[in-house]
Amino acid sequence: MEIVVCIKQVPDTTEVKIDPVTNTLIRQGVPSIVNPFDKNAVEAALQLKEKHGGKVTVISMGPPQAKDALKECLAMGADAAVLISDRAFGGADTLATSYALAAAIRKLGKVDIIFCGKQAIDGDTGQVGSETAEHLGIAQVTYVSKMDVDSDTAKVEREHEEGYEIIEVKLPVLVSVIKSAEYEPRFPSVRGTMKANRAEIPVWTAADVQADEEKIGLKGSPTKVSKIFSPPRRTQGVVIQKDSAQDSVVELLQKLREAKIV
C-alpha cells in the first residue's frame, strides 16, 4: 500500500507576529513546528502501514528549513520524504499550493491513500486537502477520526456537528484527519531520530514536478490578503467584592447602569 502524508511547517502560534505593512506573518526568528493536525495524519498513516504493510512518504511544500519538519516525521517512522521548494512557489494561496502538491504526488506514481491534517494552524483555511483531491480527481473525506482499509475500500469514521457517520469509499482517496485519541502522535524513537538526521531529503522544483508556471505561486493564486491584524488585547474587568452576595449584586447593577448597559 502506497501512502502519502502532506505536512506543513508552521510558526509556533504562541510566537506569531504580523508585519503591519506587508500583512504577512513574520517568520524570521520565530520557532517553527510541524503543524499539529499533520502529526495526527502521520500517526494515522503509520498505524495503517503497521496493520496492512506498505510505504509512507511525507511531502511538504516550503523553504529549505522545512526539511526539519520532514525529518521529524521520518523519526516518527515514515519511510521517505520529499520537499517541494522553489522560489516560483512563493506567495501561493491554497489553490496554488494544492496544485503544486498534486503535481508532486503524481510524480511519486501510484498512491492509494493521501493523508492531510484537518487544517494548518497558521492559515486555518482547511482547504488544501480538498483542493488537492480535486486536482487529482480522486475521492475525499474530511474530519476523519478513524479509518481502516479492506482490499480496495476504505471504511472511514467522520466527525460532524451532531456526532459521527461511517463512510465507505473506494481507493484511491484523500482523507483529512482531526485530533483524536485514536491518532495521538507517537514520540520519535532515538534510533528513528538518528536515522532521520542522516537522511538525504530530495528537493523537487517546479520543473521537476512539471508544474504550469501560470498555476503556481502568485500567478496561480486568485486570492490575495488585503489586511491581517492581531485583535486588541482585552482590558482587565472590574472585580466586585462585598461582604454579602446582595451587596455585590447592588454594586454590579450600579456599575451596569453607569455604563448604560441596563
Side-chain angles (χ1 to χ4, degrees):
M1 183 179 297
E2 295 295 327
I3 304 170
V4 171
V5 188
C6 299
I7 72 155
K8 185 179 183 182
Q9 186 183 55
V10 296
D12 189 335
T13 51
T14 61
E15 300 288 341
V16 164
K17 297 178 182 177
I18 298 169
D19 187 325
V21 177
T22 62
N23 291 315
T24 58
L25 296 177
I26 299 173
R27 297 178 183 269
Q28 186 174 3
V30 178
S32 296
I33 59 174
V34 178
N35 181 51
F37 289 107
D38 296 346
K39 293 183 76 170
N40 292 101
V42 173
E43 179 62 33
L46 294 176
Q47 289 188 24
L48 207 59
K49 184 191 80 167
E50 290 165 354
K51 186 172 183 179
H52 299 285
K55 178 183 178 182
V56 174
T57 301
V58 288
I59 190 167
S60 182
M61 188 182 89
Q65 60 262 34
K67 284 185 178 182
D68 293 337
L70 290 168
K71 287 188 175 185
E72 184 174 347
C73 297
L74 290 174
M76 288 175 66
D79 301 292
V82 175
L83 176 63
I84 316 168
S85 188
D86 193 317
R87 285 190 176 274
F89 295 130
D93 67 358
T94 61
L95 188 64
T97 297
S98 60
Y99 171 80
L101 288 170
I105 291 169
R106 287 194 190 96
K107 181 177 172 64
L108 287 173
K110 179 180 178 293
V111 174
D112 298 297
I113 301 174
I114 303 168
F115 285 98
C116 298
K118 182 186 75 167
Q119 64 196 69
I121 61 173
D122 56 351
D124 278 328
T125 64
Q127 297 171 346
V128 171
S130 298
E131 290 173 349
T132 301
E134 185 68 19
H135 286 303
L136 292 170
I138 63 174
Q140 59 170 303
V141 186
T142 57
Y143 299 100
V144 172
S145 58
K146 184 166 58 176
M147 73 170 292
D148 200 1
V149 174
D150 183 10
S151 184
D152 64 344
T153 302
K155 187 174 183 180
V156 181
E157 182 179 275
R158 180 179 185 272
E159 183 183 65
H160 58 82
E161 293 178 351
E162 298 180 355
Y164 296 87
E165 59 184 348
I166 305 299
I167 297 174
E168 288 191 354
V169 59
K170 292 290 185 181
L171 303 181
V173 63
L174 183 147
V175 298
S176 58
V177 179
I178 64 172
K179 287 185 179 181
S180 68
E182 187 77 19
Y183 296 136
E184 183 68 26
R186 67 191 66 186
F187 290 103
S189 66
V190 174
R191 178 177 295 180
T193 300
M194 294 174 64
K195 183 178 178 181
N197 288 336
R198 295 193 300 269
E200 292 293 331
I201 297 177
V203 179
W204 291 351
T205 64
D208 291 328
V209 299
Q210 299 182 349
D212 184 340
E213 291 186 1
E214 296 299 318
K215 296 182 179 180
I216 59 175
L218 287 173
K219 286 184 179 180
S221 301
T223 58
K224 302 291 186 292
V225 177
S226 60
K227 186 177 182 180
I228 185 171
F229 60 93
S230 298
R233 292 182 178 272
R234 291 184 178 182
T235 57
Q236 182 66 37
V238 177
V239 178
I240 298 175
Q241 288 184 323
K242 295 293 183 180
D243 294 334
S244 67
Q246 183 175 353
D247 291 341
S248 295
V249 171
V250 171
E251 179 71 12
L252 174 60
L253 288 172
Q254 179 63 32
K255 291 188 178 297
L256 291 174
R257 291 191 187 99
E258 290 173 357
K260 298 182 179 181
I261 297 175
V262 296

